[in-house]
Amino acid sequence: MELQNLYEKAGIDSKVYDFCSQIEEGLKERFAEIDKTAEYNQMKVLRAMQQHKVSAGCFESSTGYGYDDLGRETLEDVYASVFEAESALVRPQLTCGTHALTVALSANLRPGDELLSPVGKPYDTLEGVIGIGDNAAPGSLKEFGVTYRQVDLKEDGSFDFDGIRAALNDKTKLVTIQRSKGYATRPTLSVERIGELIAFIKSIRPDVICMVDNCYGEFVERIEPTQVGADMCVGSLIKNPGGGLAPIGGYIVGRKDLIDMCAYRLTAPGLGKEVGATLGLNRSFFQGFFMAPCVAASALKGAIFAANVYERLGFPVVPNGTESRHDIIQAVTLGSAEGVIAFCKGIQAGSPVDSHVAPEPYAMPGYHSDVIMAAGAFVQGSSIELSADGPIEPPYAVYFQGGLTWYHAKFGIMMSVQYMAKEGLLNLPV
């Protein structure tokens, strides 16, 4: 059966198919460069696994206290090697990226310390963790006497170095740098730019801990933030590094003394990394990490495809269709709640799981407005799988990410265009 016929049977009409195929044709050279980066990162992971003698015995499970778990210890050595860090904490007990960040922050901040964000307000779910404004949740850092200060990026997305210099003070203990954009339309930070920011901060306060929220950025470039001076780097296994196979988990990599503190916070002082059952997840964690460079490359292709499709249709996109990429997220400003909802319904309809249901906006815990989330995923909440979400508030931007394969990411975007066209929210070029 001809390929186009399969797409038409799946709900894509000929106008949408032809339009998107033209876009894809113009991206072949760029996709080839992404494949080269994936190959480079694949070799990094492979060599780390060989170096640390990953064996079938590493896939065995531990229960109870999880003492002497060979797989857990080896996996953390592999992560440390790939990130060129002294130590790593990679655990299923870290339930999500927000939890991993919370552990890293609360483990290394004490009453009277100050936390500084030099890149503006962090992602919504961290507002309650930190205690920003009226969003201080019970147990927030604010409740424990940790103060917070932020310096916004300039209008052009550059760092406000003068503002950062003025904000650094004797109380500043830790600087948190969010690599990705979150629910904002600012540029994502490249690893190179993160390195420049860290170097500037360290030139003023060498003792300050620099932590990077690396969510959505792993394996998009050939280097990671720990290779340019980050003291800690934090992420989620149901995003890039889990390769779509990890069903839960998070990681923290960096300086050994800081990682030890994180382990004491996650388990208990004095126990740290020595306990923590893996409950049969080691194989998925190893295999997912092995697959991650290629999976991240597929998601990155999908993001670039989405940018070019929607830019051609006249919608503002961040990054634009030609800019360099430093995470897998694509922001598209659709200008209306109806647009965001139609886009997300298209993504849901293009999913292998729950394609028959329609997402609706609702009040999610940790967010300050109704949010719509489309994610027909094998793993609940896995945003390395095809997904799209966004707050129902001006400027009505949707954030698209994921795709375990490029072909699925491509189909999802085509389906979003189909749904937008059906609702009369866009016009396809003749």
Side-chain angles (χ1 to χ4, degrees):
M1 184 181 295
E2 186 183 349
L3 180 61
Q4 185 170 348
N5 288 342
L6 285 173
Y7 276 96
E8 289 179 358
K9 287 180 180 294
I12 304 298
D13 67 34
S14 59
K15 288 183 179 179
V16 172
Y17 182 87
D18 291 342
F19 170 70
C20 291
S21 294
Q22 290 176 358
I23 300 292
E24 180 186 1
E25 187 66 26
L27 296 173
K28 287 184 176 179
E29 288 186 12
R30 192 159 184 200
F31 283 5
E33 287 300 313
I34 292 171
D35 289 336
K36 289 179 183 178
T37 297
E39 182 178 7
Y40 182 91
N41 287 325
Q42 181 73 82
M43 291 306 299
K44 283 200 304 185
V45 174
L46 176 60
R47 288 295 300 127
M49 289 186 169
Q50 292 174 339
Q51 175 189 347
H52 294 289
K53 297 181 173 60
V54 174
S55 65
C58 293
F59 306 148
E60 297 299 322
S61 177
S62 65
T63 59
Y65 290 143
Y67 285 137
D68 303 316
D69 191 316
L70 174 65
R72 183 191 68 211
E73 294 168 4
T74 303
L75 179 67
E76 291 177 341
D77 287 341
V78 168
Y79 263 74
S81 290
V82 169
F83 283 85
E84 294 189 11
E86 293 177 359
S87 184
L89 188 67
V90 186
R91 302 292 169 110
Q93 289 80 15
L94 292 167
T95 57
C96 60
T98 299
H99 184 204
L101 288 160
T102 302
V103 168
L105 291 169
S106 58
N108 290 288
L109 289 166
R110 295 292 180 268
D113 290 340
E114 186 159 274
L115 171 66
L116 170 66
S117 171
V119 295
K121 190 181 73 170
Y123 190 64
D124 288 22
T125 56
L126 274 181
E127 290 186 30
V129 173
I130 296 168
I132 297 175
D134 297 327
N135 294 320
S140 68
L141 294 174
K142 182 179 181 180
E143 189 175 279
F144 280 86
V146 175
T147 57
Y148 171 75
R149 189 180 300 228
Q150 76 181 42
V151 179
D152 293 334
L153 295 171
K154 294 183 176 180
E155 287 190 11
D156 62 358
S158 63
F159 300 125
D160 181 358
F161 288 113
D162 291 338
I164 295 168
R165 184 188 298 275
L168 287 165
N169 59 69
D170 292 341
K171 292 175 59 180
T172 310
K173 175 71 175 296
L174 192 150
V175 170
T176 180
I177 303 167
Q178 184 174 294
R179 177 175 178 176
S180 194
K181 61 180 67 63
Y183 282 163
T185 51
R186 71 158 171 85
T188 293
L189 303 177
S190 68
V191 176
E192 181 181 5
R193 288 191 67 203
I194 290 170
E196 292 170 356
L197 177 58
I198 291 172
F200 175 77
I201 291 166
K202 295 282 189 180
S203 72
I204 301 167
R205 286 285 310 278
D207 58 323
V208 167
I209 300 166
C210 290
M211 182 191 80
V212 175
D213 175 355
N214 205 31
C215 287
Y216 301 105
E218 299 90 351
F219 298 127
V220 172
E221 300 184 47
R222 297 188 181 193
I223 55 173
E224 300 294 339
T226 38
Q227 295 172 258
V228 295
D231 299 302
M232 284 192 294
C233 195
V234 185
S236 166
L237 299 194
I238 58 172
K239 297 184 176 69
N240 303 23
L245 295 180
I248 194 170
Y251 75 88
I252 309 171
V253 296
R255 273 173 33 193
K256 184 179 184 305
D257 60 324
L258 302 178
I259 302 305
D260 286 345
M261 294 298 291
C262 293
Y264 294 145
R265 174 62 64 180
L266 180 64
T267 62
L271 299 181
K273 293 179 69 175
E274 298 303 314
V275 297
T278 51
L279 303 171
L281 295 173
N282 281 342
R283 184 191 302 273
S284 297
F285 285 178
F286 276 107
Q287 192 172 9
F289 197 50
F290 179 74
M291 296 294 295
C294 292
V295 172
S298 292
L300 190 58
K301 290 176 183 178
I304 291 171
F305 180 65
N308 281 271
V309 165
Y310 277 92
E311 189 173 54
R312 178 79 178 276
L313 291 169
F315 294 95
V317 296
V318 178
N320 68 31
T322 59
E323 285 178 296
S324 61
R325 295 282 165 151
H326 310 292
D327 70 358
I328 64 168
I329 296 178
Q330 181 59 49
V332 182
T333 300
L334 297 169
S336 69
E338 293 78 10
V340 173
I341 293 168
F343 185 105
C344 289
K345 285 184 175 179
I347 294 297
Q348 188 76 38
S351 300
V353 181
D354 290 331
S355 63
H356 56 287
V357 303
E360 296 289 346
Y362 69 109
M364 283 192 66
Y367 296 87
H368 52 70
S369 64
D370 285 357
V371 175
I372 185 169
M373 291 195 169
F378 294 99
V379 174
Q380 187 180 77
S382 174
S383 43
I384 189 59
E385 299 186 53
L386 185 72
S387 59
D389 52 274
I392 306 301
E393 63 182 18
Y396 298 106
V398 71
Y399 300 84
F400 167 82
Q401 61 270 318
L404 298 179
T405 69
W406 146 238
Y407 305 108
H408 186 217
K410 169 186 170 181
F411 176 65
I413 286 299
M414 293 170 75
M415 190 62 84
S416 74
V417 173
Q418 187 72 50
Y419 269 65
M420 293 274 289
K422 183 175 70 173
E423 295 296 324
L425 298 168
L426 58 79
N427 293 308
L428 290 168
V430 178

